[in-house]
Each structure stands twice: as structure tokens, then as C-alpha cells.
């Protein structure tokens, strides 16, 4: 407890309130797990030693009027987690026309009396809590259930609570400049994601609480809290729609399993652990209900390390497959496939016409277009079967009647007396034969009729799409030359004929699946969050929207970090213009991750890119300028890194990363460090989790989305080229990973962009 906190006039009463809340939570948990009979006993255990002074009447009233017996498992888990830090803020608000000042304590979960709904803790996602994030002292308003409530905000207070004890109280106005934010930013990266709720800023809060019935696209600078916003928006959505939505109907599409591991700690804290978390590749395979063989995606690595003509061709093909132009190709292809299901043959059972070709084609072409092609055919087949069933008896009876009438005539007409017996016998045989023929036709006619239509697999359609370069070029309407079409087809079939696919093929497969066969409803999600969305292609986003049949997407990304721009997005405009026209587009330029000194250096790289990116504005937090150390022998490299880590640990930092440009350089760095510190170094690869107690060595392209207290950008053989757009972005990504300290270590300054002139 600090000196400042002890002299706050409300420290004693606030400590008492905190103690009451903690004990109250204990009673709630223990009572809900036992029975009403145990209620009084639990009360006596929890509060028997307390002397509440003047406050006792109010507290006792709350306790004796409470009911804890209807709590869900989720509510109990939230309360258990909240016990050591039940709330982080308080607001005092007086509704217009009321003489009562309401005190609202804001935390990660809510706690209230079941009888009179009086709240002990207000959930941060509730409408009135918005006053803490956006309200100014004085006249304010908030919206709840479509109604606007006005009044006076007289207090905004923050609490520093550690392990259940009140350490400090701060009365504030703007959260943007408050000390709590500074304290949070000064902490280690090891727990920042889980503690962000108390320091959400106004511009972040607006995005989190933006219209939940519209898609949103966020262009956010490095360190602006994009991931935080995405996770909190999911939490806010669940809070508002918990009566109508199963959390499993929401889905996070993460850039990698490494990233899923990184955010996993924050999900339970936000109450969103049941939300589906997957990658685009895994999700497409779920939708296709097939385990595909995916060719290892080394294009980015090859672009970084070799950059020859073969790599350029592969990158161009990836980019074209993900483009709007390829969407047009697919639209023409689907149109052609559809036309193969038009028919000129009427449907007969034996000699009886039951359905016309014109009506069949009309239903397929006009009435059933809301369904995928093969589901339309299943519906039409079912319709024909229904017609057969409803006419079955009539058709059999007509045949029987025809022969019965002739047999009856033969039995009673004198003219047939001579050969009557033979005629009747033949007629009876013929009747049996025709009835059997009709019955067989009834059984087989629908299947026989449907055989005129092709029945192919998704893989066969994919092969067919790329089997004719001339047709592909014609579909493109001038976007592809004949030579380019040949190149594209040859490259794709090289893998496809072995039933292998590249990452870029997945959007095409998903598109074809949705139009041809459909996606099972159990695989669909109603609300989707995509982090690092700048690395998605136009086709990936379009195919997802088409397959999921919703536009309820939250897309967060940073074009300046678009290291996959050869296949990803270079502008958000096509996304909000063509794919998500209802979307709200917003930008975040303020960075909360790193210091002014580090961000100023990183900003210099943005001016080298061929796009007009706004400069990132760091929150006012100072630190050391990025340092550079030059080494001659590789042993010196290891020594420099060890010194940086030791120095950081002495300052209380916990997470350290050495970032190399490529995996090739990282392997060498890792080997050098392992010799010096065996078992204390971890070379991170795509599918691995991040250890908390080791020095992490990670290539620049895998570090995106991660953050560490201290980052060392090291170079052995590789260099970042200021003339190469990808190199600029990779170094920018690496430079924006640290919270506190950044160092460069290389054989010469020229290995790093922006370090040459120093």
C-alpha cells in the first residue's frame, strides 16, 4: 500500500467495501454448491467476525435479501476467477430527475441480488459501464435497450487491487491519460492480454461496442490493440445476445495455431473460451469434410531467401487465384456447370408423362436458386419420387383395368368363344407382365431419369476448371493472356493431379463447395472474427462470406504489416465496397504497445513503402532509444544477447525474443545460443506454443501479432533491403513487437534498414 493510497479520504470505506464483496462472493459460491439449509451457516462463517459500523445495516440488508441458488456453472466460474480482483473501477451517476446518486462498481463479471436486481458488481459490458470508458465528469448520457438515459457523472474512480487487497485509489476523468494505463503499459507482456479491460481506451471502446448487427473493418496500427478489440468485441457480443446465441456459433479465425496459443490465456478471462478457434486452412477442411493434403507454403520464405523467377511466378499465381478477377472466372464456370443441369427430356414412368422438362428446368433455374446445385437436384429428385408415389396406384390400376376389360369382353362375347380360353390365358399373362413392367418402371424411372445429369466430386470439378487454358482465358474476359492461362493451369494441375492443394486453392475449393454441394449447417458460424485480416485474399474473404451465408464479420488488420501482400490485400476498399458493403470502416493510429523512441524509429520505415500509411502515434511513454551492437565473431553475438537479457531481467522484464529475418538465420542464432545456455532457448516454429521461461528465437514473419518485453533483432547472414517492400514490412513487424526495449545486433549497420546513417 502506498503513502498516496493511505491518505485518500475514502480508503477505509473502500477497503471495507472490498472485504464485504470478497466475503459475499465466498458465500455465493459455497451456498450455490450446497443448499438453502446451509445458507445461514455459511453467512455466520463469512461474517461472524465483522463489525461493519455505520454501514452494517446496508450490508446486512443485501445479504438477507439475496438468493444464490440459480447460478449457472459459467456464472460461478466467473465469480471464482473474480474473487481476488472483483472490480477495477467505480462510477457515481445520478439519473436526471432523481435525487439518488448510484454507485456502480465495474468488474469482469456481474453480481447482483436476484430479488431486487441491486448490483454489487456491474459487468464492464453493461450499457451503464460505458460511462467509465467514454463519459466525462458532468452531464452525460448512455443508451440501454434503445432508450437514452441522461444524468450527472460525479465520480470516476480506479482501484489497484492485488491478491484481494486494495493498494491504491485514483480518481480520474479521461482514461486516455490516466496512470492506470501507464502502469499497465509498463508491465510485462506476460499478462497484458488478461488485464486490458480496466484500461480500454475511448476509441477502442467505440469499436468494441459498435453496432453488433453490422460488420466492421478495423485498420489498426501496430500495437493499437487490434487483437484486444477483437476478443473484447466477441465478449461484448456474447453478453448482449447470451439468451439467443450459443458461443459456439461465434468463431475466431486466427493466422496460425501459434497465435491461438498466444490468445488462449485471455479467452477464459473474457468468458469466451467456448468460442470456436481455428485457422482458415483447418476451417475449410471442416467445411469440405475432407482431410486435404496441403503443400507446404514456402512462398514467403522463398521470397525472403531466394527471390528467383520461379518464386515470382508462384507468387503471381497465388495473387491471381486470390483476386477479384478469379472470382469472375469462378462465376462464369459455375454458370456453365449450372447449364449442364438444364434438360429437354420430359419425365416418364413407362408410357406415362408425369413431369415436363420445362417445369423441371424452371424449378432448377428459378425457384431453387437459393440452394447449391446438387441440393437442388436432390430436391428435384425427391419431387419426382413424390409424383411417382402419388400416381403409382393410378398407373397400376390403369394397366389392370385395361386388361380386365379385355378379359371380361372375351368371357362374355360369343364371337370369341372359339379361342376364349387361349385369349384369356394370354391376356392374364400379358397383364401380369405389364403390371410388373409398370412396377419396375415405378421403382427405377427416377434414378434412370437422373442419370442424364453429371455426378462429379469437388476434386473433379477443380481439375476440370484448370484443364482447359483456352476456356479459363475466355472466362477471365481479358484479365489472363493465353500464355498466363497455360502457366496457371500447368502449375495448379501439377499438384491437383496428385490430390495436393496449395493454401490459395482453399478459397476456390470453398467457393465451389458452397455453390455445388453446400456447407453443413453445423459447420457454419453466425459471427466471425478475423485477426491479421490484411493477409487474407479477396477470394478468401468472399468465399467465407458466401459459404457461411452471413456478413457478420469483424476484420482487424494492418496493411503496413501485410507481409503476404503478394496474395493478400493491398487496400481495404475492395473489401468494404464489394464484399461487405454494410461494413463500418474505422482506423486506429494510436499505439499502446511500445515507447515513443521505438515507434519513432519504426515510423521511418512506413515512409519507404509505396502506400500512403498514416504515421503511428504512440501513447506518451518514454524509454531507451533502440540500440545497435556490432560483432565480428558469432560468439560475440551470443554474448551481446545474453547481456541484453540479463539486463532486462534485472529491470523486471520477463519475456524476451530474438527475431531474425529468416528461419535460416534463426536456426544459426538458436544453435549459437543453445551452446551458451542449453535448455534456455526455444526456436519457435509455426505450430508451436510460446514458452514463458525461455528466450524465444523466431523469424520475422512468424512474430506478427506477438509481443515481448524485450526484442533483439539479430542478423547473421541475412540483411533487410530498403529497396524491397517485403523486407521493409518484415523489419517493421519485428520493430513493433517490443513493449519496452529494442536492440539491433549485426556484423554491420547496413544489415538493418534505417541504421546505416547512424
Amino acid at each position: 500500500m502506498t503513502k498516496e493510497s493511505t491518505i485518500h479520504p475514502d480508503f477505509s470505506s473502500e477497503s471495507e467495501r472490498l472485504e464485504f464483496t470478497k466475503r459475499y462472493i465466498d458465500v455465493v459460491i459455497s451456498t450455490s454448491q450446497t443448499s438453502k439449509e446451509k445458507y445461514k451457516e455459511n453467512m455466520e462463517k463469512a461474517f461472524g467476525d465483522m463489525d461493519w459500523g455505520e454501514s452494517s445495516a446496508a450490508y446486512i440488508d443485501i445479504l438477507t435479501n439475496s438468493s444464490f441458488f440459480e447460478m449457472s456453472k459459467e456464472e460461478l466460474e466467473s465469480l471464482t476467477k473474480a474473487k481476488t480482483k472483483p472490480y477495477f473501477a467505480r462510477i457515481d451517476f445520478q439519473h436526471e430527475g432523481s435525487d439518488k446518486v448510484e454507485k456502480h462498481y465495474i468488474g469482469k463479471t456481474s453480481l447482483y441480488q436476484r430479488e431486487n436486481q441491486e448490483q454489487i458488481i456491474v459487468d464492464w459490458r453493461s450499457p451503464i459501464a460505458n460511462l467509465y470508458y467514454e463519459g466525462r465528469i458532468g452531464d452525460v448520457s448512455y443508451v440501454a435497450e434503445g432508450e437514452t438515459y441522461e444524468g450527472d457523472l460525479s465520480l470516476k474512480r480506479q482501484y489497484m487491487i492485488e491478491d484481494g487487497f486494495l493498494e491504491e485509489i485514483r480518481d480520474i476523468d479521461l482514461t486516455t491519460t490516466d496512470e492506470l494505463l501507464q502502469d499497465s503499459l509498463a508491465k510485462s507482456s506476460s499478462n497484458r492480454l488478461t488485464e486490458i479491460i480496466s484500461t480500454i481506451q475511448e476509441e477502442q471502446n467505440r469499436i468494441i461496442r459498435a453496432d453488433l448487427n453490422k460488420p466492421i473493418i478495423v485498420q489498426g496500427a501496430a500495437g493499437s490493440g487490434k487483437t484486444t478489440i477483437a476478443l473484447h468485441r466477441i465478449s461484448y457480443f456474447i453478453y448482449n445476445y447470451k439468451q439467443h446465441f450459443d458461443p459456439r456459433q461465434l468463431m475466431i479465425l486466427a493466422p496460425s495455431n501459434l497465435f491461438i496459443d498466444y490468445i488462449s490465456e485471455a479467452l477464459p478471462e473474457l468468458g469466451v473460451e467456448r468460442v470456436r478457434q481455428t485457422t482458415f486452412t483447418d476451417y475449410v477442411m471442416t467445411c469440405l469434410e475432407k482431410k486435404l493434403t496441403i503443400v507446404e507454403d514456402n512462398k514467403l520464405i522463398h521470397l525472403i531467401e531466394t527471390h528467383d523467377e520461379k518464386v515470382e511466378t508462384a507468387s503471381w499465381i497465388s495473387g491471381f487465384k486470390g483476386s477479384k478477377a478469379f472470382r469472375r472466372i469462378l462465376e462464369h464456370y459455375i454458370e456453365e456447370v449450372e447449364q449442364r443441369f438444364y434438360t429437354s427430356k420430359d419425365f416418364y414412368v413407362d408410357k406415362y408423362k408425369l413431369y415436363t422438362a420445362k417445369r423441371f428446368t424452371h424449378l432448377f433455374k428459378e425457384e431453387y436458386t437459393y440452394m447449391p446445385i446438387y441440393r437442388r437436384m436432390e430436391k428435384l429428385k425427391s419431387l419426382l419420387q413424390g409424383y411417382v408415389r402419388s400416381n403409382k396406384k393410378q398407373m397400376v390400376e390403369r394397366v389392370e383395368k385395361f386388361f380386365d376389360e379385355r378379359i371380361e369382353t372375351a368371357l362374355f362375347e360369343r364371337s370369341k368363344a372359339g379361342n376364349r380360353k387361349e385369349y384369356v390365358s394370354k391376356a392374364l399373362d400379358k397383364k401380369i407382365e405389364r403390371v410388373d413392367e409398370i412396377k419396375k418402371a415405378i421403382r427405377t424411372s427416377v434414378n434412370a431419369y437422373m442419370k442424364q445429369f453429371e455426378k462429379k466430386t469437388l476434386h473433379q470439378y477443380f481439375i476440370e476448371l484448370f484443364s482447359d487454358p483456352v476456356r479459363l482465358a475466355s472466362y477471365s474476359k481479358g484479365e489472363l493472356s493465353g500464355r498466363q492461362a497455360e502457366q496457371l493451369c500447368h502449375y495448379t494441375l501439377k499438384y491437383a493431379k496428385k490430390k495436393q492443394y496449395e493454401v490459395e486453392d482453399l478459397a476456390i475449393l470453398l467457393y465451389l463447395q458452397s455453390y455445388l454441394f453446400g456447407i453443413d449447417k453445423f459447420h457454419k458460424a453466425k459471427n466471425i472474427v478475423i485477426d491479421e485480416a490484411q493477409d487474407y485474399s479477396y477470394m478468401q474473404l468472399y468465399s467465407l462470406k458466401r459459404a457461411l451465408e452471413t456478413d457478420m464479420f469483424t476484420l482487424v488488420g494492418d496493411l503496413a504489416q501485410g507481409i503476404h501482400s503478394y496474395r493478400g490485400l493491398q487496400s481495404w476498399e475492395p473489401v468494404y465496397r464489394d464484399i461487405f458493403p454494410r461494413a463500418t470502416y474505422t482506423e486506429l493510429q494510436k499505439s499502446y504497445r511500445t515507447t515513443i523512441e521505438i515507434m519513432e524509429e519504426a515510423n521511418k520505415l512506413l515512409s519507404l513503402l509505396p502506400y500512403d500509411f498514416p504515421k503511428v502515434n504512440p501513447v506518451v511513454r518514454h524509454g531507451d532509444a533502440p540500440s545497435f551492437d556490432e560483432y565480428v565473431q558469432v560468439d560475440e553475438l551470443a554474448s551481446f544477447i545474453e547481456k541484453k537479457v540479463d539486463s532486462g531481467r534485472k529491470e523486471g522484464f520477463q519475456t524476451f525474443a530474438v527475431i531474425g529475418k529468416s528461419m535460416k538465420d534463426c536456426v544459426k542464432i538458436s544453435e549459437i545460443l543453445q551452446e551458451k545456455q542449453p535448455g534456455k532457448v526455444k526456436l519457435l516454429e509455426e505450430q508451436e506454443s510460446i514458452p514463458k521461461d525461455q528466450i524465444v528465437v523466431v523469424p520475422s514473419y512468424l512474430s506478427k501479432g506477438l509481443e515481448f518485453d524485450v526484442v533483439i533483432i539479430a542478423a547473421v547472414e541475412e540483411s533487410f533491403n530498403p529497396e524491397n517492400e517485403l523486407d521493409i514490412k518484415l523489419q517493421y513487424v519485428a520493430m513493433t513487437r517490443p513493449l519496452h526495449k529494442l536492440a539491433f545486433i549485426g556484423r554491420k549497420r547496413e544489415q538493418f534498414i534505417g541504421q546505416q546513417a547512424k
Side-chain angles (χ1 to χ4, degrees):
M1 154 183 341
T2 68
K3 185 179 177 184
E4 181 189 346
S5 63
T6 58
I7 61 169
H8 192 288
D10 293 343
F11 190 84
S12 176
S13 60
E14 290 288 12
S15 295
E16 192 175 278
R17 209 282 181 179
L18 175 61
E19 187 61 29
F20 163 78
T21 305
K22 284 158 47 187
R23 297 196 181 205
Y24 184 89
I25 290 172
D26 280 338
V27 173
V28 170
I29 294 168
S30 58
T31 303
S32 65
Q33 291 169 345
T34 55
S35 65
K36 289 188 180 185
E37 287 69 38
K38 286 279 187 182
Y39 172 69
K40 192 173 179 184
E41 186 183 325
N42 290 336
M43 282 295 189
E44 287 171 358
K45 280 183 184 175
F47 293 97
D49 64 330
M50 297 297 289
D51 179 10
W52 296 101
E54 292 179 15
S55 309
S56 61
Y59 289 128
I60 290 165
D61 182 58
I62 292 173
L63 292 168
T64 54
N65 285 299
S66 296
S67 170
F68 312 123
F69 309 106
E70 299 168 16
M71 300 202 73
S72 68
K73 183 184 172 189
E74 287 79 10
E75 287 173 314
L76 275 173
E77 285 175 355
S78 296
L79 270 184
T80 305
K81 289 172 193 165
K83 187 184 164 186
T84 57
K85 195 172 184 177
Y87 46 80
F88 54 82
R90 166 184 153 189
I91 55 171
D92 287 3
F93 179 71
Q94 185 174 358
H95 279 90
E96 194 175 72
S98 170
D99 56 3
K100 181 187 176 186
V101 176
E102 301 169 359
K103 296 176 184 177
H104 297 282
Y105 288 80
I106 300 166
K108 291 181 183 177
T109 189
S110 61
L111 183 60
Y112 56 90
Q113 299 180 80
R114 298 303 169 112
E115 276 83 16
N116 61 17
Q117 302 298 300
E118 184 176 333
Q119 290 198 301
I120 293 162
I121 307 172
V122 174
D123 194 298
W124 71 272
R125 297 165 292 188
S126 67
I128 199 165
N130 197 38
L131 295 176
Y132 167 70
Y133 295 110
E134 293 189 27
R136 305 286 186 271
I137 298 297
D139 293 339
V140 291
S141 64
Y142 69 94
V143 177
E145 311 222 345
E147 295 278 332
T148 300
Y149 298 90
E150 296 182 342
D152 178 67
L153 183 65
S154 56
L155 179 73
K156 281 176 75 174
R157 178 170 287 175
Q158 294 173 339
Y159 303 101
M160 311 316 116
I161 299 171
E162 292 296 332
D163 298 323
F165 293 97
L166 182 63
E167 295 192 341
E168 199 170 335
I169 299 170
R170 292 173 183 161
D171 292 338
I172 53 116
D173 187 0
L174 295 177
T175 54
T176 317
T177 56
D178 65 38
E179 294 173 49
L180 189 63
L181 173 63
Q182 294 291 341
D183 286 352
S184 173
L185 297 177
K187 284 182 181 177
S188 167
S189 68
S190 60
N191 63 352
R192 264 168 45 89
L193 262 185
T194 62
E195 291 299 321
I196 204 76
I197 291 172
S198 58
T199 57
I200 291 169
Q201 298 303 293
E202 187 173 342
E203 69 272 19
Q204 296 173 326
N205 184 58
R206 282 203 199 103
I207 297 169
I208 291 166
R209 294 174 189 256
D211 190 342
L212 292 171
N213 295 305
K214 286 176 71 177
I216 189 166
I217 300 167
V218 181
Q219 159 58 38
S224 60
K226 298 182 294 294
T227 301
T228 296
I229 288 166
L231 298 180
H232 284 71
R233 187 162 166 80
I234 293 172
S235 180
Y236 183 64
F237 185 92
I238 290 171
Y239 176 83
N240 280 275
Y241 291 105
K242 57 189 167 192
Q243 304 302 325
H244 313 286
F245 255 88
D246 183 333
R248 286 166 294 193
Q249 292 176 311
L250 283 83
M251 178 169 68
I252 299 169
L253 284 180
S256 65
N257 287 312
L258 184 67
F259 190 84
I260 290 172
D261 175 72
Y262 174 66
I263 65 171
S264 62
E265 219 175 286
L267 298 178
E269 291 284 334
L270 293 170
V272 296
E273 64 269 35
R274 290 172 61 212
V275 170
R276 275 190 277 174
Q277 305 154 57
T278 185
T279 62
F280 177 78
T281 300
D282 289 342
Y283 182 64
V284 172
M285 286 196 270
T286 298
C287 290
L288 304 187
E289 297 182 349
K290 286 182 177 66
K291 183 72 177 170
L292 304 177
T293 303
I294 306 297
V295 179
E296 190 175 353
D297 185 17
N298 290 321
K299 291 187 203 68
L300 180 62
I301 297 168
H302 290 152
L303 279 170
I304 294 168
E305 295 180 355
T306 54
H307 207 79
D308 55 22
E309 188 179 341
K310 190 177 174 183
V311 174
E312 288 288 340
T313 300
S315 300
W316 169 79
I317 288 169
S318 294
F320 190 77
K321 282 180 177 178
S323 68
K324 185 177 178 180
F326 205 88
R327 171 189 161 185
R328 287 194 285 269
I329 288 173
L330 286 170
E331 286 169 347
H332 288 302
Y333 178 56
I334 289 293
E335 278 175 27
E336 185 203 297
V337 171
E338 274 201 355
Q339 288 167 15
R340 299 177 202 168
F341 291 86
Y342 302 165
T343 184
S344 57
K345 295 179 183 176
D346 295 329
F347 173 60
Y348 284 87
V349 174
D350 196 74
K351 297 172 183 177
Y352 301 101
K353 186 200 285 189
L354 292 192
Y355 216 77
T356 66
K358 185 178 179 182
R359 178 65 182 155
F360 185 97
T361 301
H362 173 77
L363 288 175
F364 178 84
K365 191 177 174 182
E366 306 292 340
E367 302 292 329
Y368 295 163
T369 49
Y370 62 92
M371 287 188 285
I373 288 173
Y374 276 84
R375 286 191 189 167
R376 287 184 237 172
M377 296 308 291
E378 287 169 14
K379 189 168 177 67
L380 284 163
K381 181 179 179 181
S382 179
L383 182 141
L384 294 182
Q385 287 169 333
Y387 267 83
V388 171
R389 277 194 301 274
S390 60
N391 287 280
K392 174 181 175 182
K393 186 178 178 184
Q394 186 184 348
M395 288 185 289
V396 172
E397 285 175 350
R398 282 177 71 178
V399 170
E400 288 175 336
K401 184 181 177 185
F402 175 83
F403 285 101
D404 287 346
E405 284 175 351
R406 277 151 183 75
I407 291 167
E408 191 174 344
T409 302
L411 289 172
F412 295 102
E413 282 188 15
R414 288 173 182 246
S415 59
K416 299 188 184 278
N419 61 351
R420 180 181 292 141
K421 188 176 179 181
E422 183 183 350
Y423 180 86
V424 169
S425 178
K426 283 182 179 179
L428 284 168
D429 289 344
K430 188 65 177 171
K431 175 187 173 183
I432 293 167
E433 183 183 330
R434 280 296 292 140
V435 168
D436 285 346
E437 285 174 357
I438 284 289
K439 286 181 177 178
K440 184 181 178 184
I442 286 167
R443 288 195 308 272
T444 62
S445 57
V446 173
N447 285 336
Y449 183 77
M450 297 303 287
K451 277 184 180 175
Q452 68 179 294
F453 305 110
E454 67 185 33
K455 200 167 185 180
K456 294 183 178 179
T457 64
L458 179 65
H459 178 71
Q460 287 171 327
Y461 280 113
F462 185 83
I463 291 276
E464 181 187 72
L465 173 63
F466 292 99
S467 63
D468 187 345
V470 175
R471 181 182 59 190
L472 201 69
S474 71
Y475 285 159
S476 77
K477 303 296 181 188
E479 295 275 356
L480 275 179
S481 67
R483 184 176 171 279
Q484 286 174 322
E486 281 181 16
Q487 209 172 27
L488 181 58
C489 291
H490 174 75
Y491 180 90
T492 305
L493 291 176
K494 175 180 69 177
Y495 294 116
K497 284 182 176 176
K498 295 184 282 186
K499 290 200 171 180
Q500 296 177 342
Y501 302 96
E502 290 198 297
V503 170
E504 295 78 21
D505 296 329
L506 295 175
I508 300 168
L509 289 167
L510 185 61
Y511 180 97
L512 293 175
Q513 176 76 19
S514 67
Y515 271 99
L516 294 168
F517 306 102
I519 311 295
D520 191 297
K521 66 180 180 181
F522 294 109
H523 302 322
K524 292 182 180 180
K526 293 186 178 178
N527 205 299
I528 301 92
V529 171
I530 299 181
D531 205 344
E532 303 291 350
Q534 77 280 350
D535 289 333
Y536 277 64
S537 69
Y538 179 99
M539 267 307 301
Q540 284 177 318
L541 294 174
Y542 184 80
S543 295
L544 280 168
K545 180 191 171 187
R546 177 70 182 71
L548 290 162
E549 298 183 285
T550 180
D551 71 346
M552 290 304 300
F553 281 66
T554 295
L555 305 178
V556 297
D558 179 14
L559 295 174
Q561 298 181 67
I563 59 176
H564 293 278
S565 57
Y566 62 91
R567 70 160 185 241
L569 300 169
Q570 296 186 2
S571 167
W572 295 113
E573 191 179 340
V575 180
Y576 59 71
R577 190 185 61 226
D578 296 341
I579 306 174
F580 301 107
R582 293 198 314 122
T584 301
Y585 173 77
T586 188
E587 294 181 353
L588 290 171
Q589 288 174 239
K590 201 174 282 185
S591 174
Y592 300 94
R593 177 181 294 140
T594 196
T595 63
I596 287 177
E597 288 74 16
I598 293 172
M599 205 64 238
E600 281 178 350
E601 287 298 309
N603 269 334
K604 291 174 185 175
L605 270 65
L606 293 182
S607 61
L608 302 176
L609 291 169
Y611 313 103
D612 186 22
F613 290 119
K615 290 286 187 290
V616 181
N617 302 318
V619 166
V620 181
R621 182 166 65 89
H622 285 283
D624 296 336
S627 63
F628 174 79
D629 289 293
E630 191 173 304
Y631 70 91
V632 179
Q633 303 296 327
V634 288
D635 281 355
E636 294 177 78
L637 169 62
S639 296
F640 276 128
I641 292 172
E642 283 181 314
K643 283 176 187 174
K644 299 286 181 193
V645 172
D646 289 342
S647 171
R649 285 196 172 123
K650 284 174 187 172
E651 291 185 59
F653 301 134
Q654 297 174 35
T655 58
F656 302 85
V658 180
I659 301 178
K661 178 184 172 183
S662 66
M663 181 60 84
K664 194 163 65 175
D665 245 16
C666 284
V667 168
K668 289 173 183 169
I669 294 165
S670 176
E671 287 171 353
I672 294 163
L673 288 174
Q674 287 285 11
E675 284 179 19
K676 295 260 188 182
Q677 299 194 31
K680 295 182 180 179
V681 179
K682 176 66 177 176
L683 176 63
L684 266 195
E685 299 193 39
E686 178 71 34
Q687 307 299 332
E688 295 186 306
S689 57
I690 304 166
K692 293 201 183 314
D693 54 349
Q694 293 176 294
I695 301 168
V696 169
V697 181
V698 59
S700 55
Y701 52 87
L702 284 184
S703 71
K704 193 152 56 68
L706 308 179
E707 60 180 33
F708 305 89
D709 293 334
V710 177
V711 167
I712 300 157
I713 303 176
V716 181
E717 294 180 2
E718 298 281 8
S719 296
F720 292 92
N721 179 2
E723 304 297 319
N724 183 295
E725 181 185 329
L726 178 57
D727 278 17
I728 295 167
K729 287 181 176 179
L730 288 170
Q731 185 173 318
Y732 178 77
V733 166
M735 288 179 71
T736 53
R737 297 311 95 203
L739 271 70
H740 304 289
K741 290 186 180 290
L742 173 64
F744 293 90
I745 303 177
R747 295 181 191 274
K748 52 187 178 180
R749 288 183 177 274
E750 287 72 25
Q751 287 178 289
F752 308 103
I753 302 166
Q755 298 297 307
Q756 295 90 332
K758 294 185 179 179

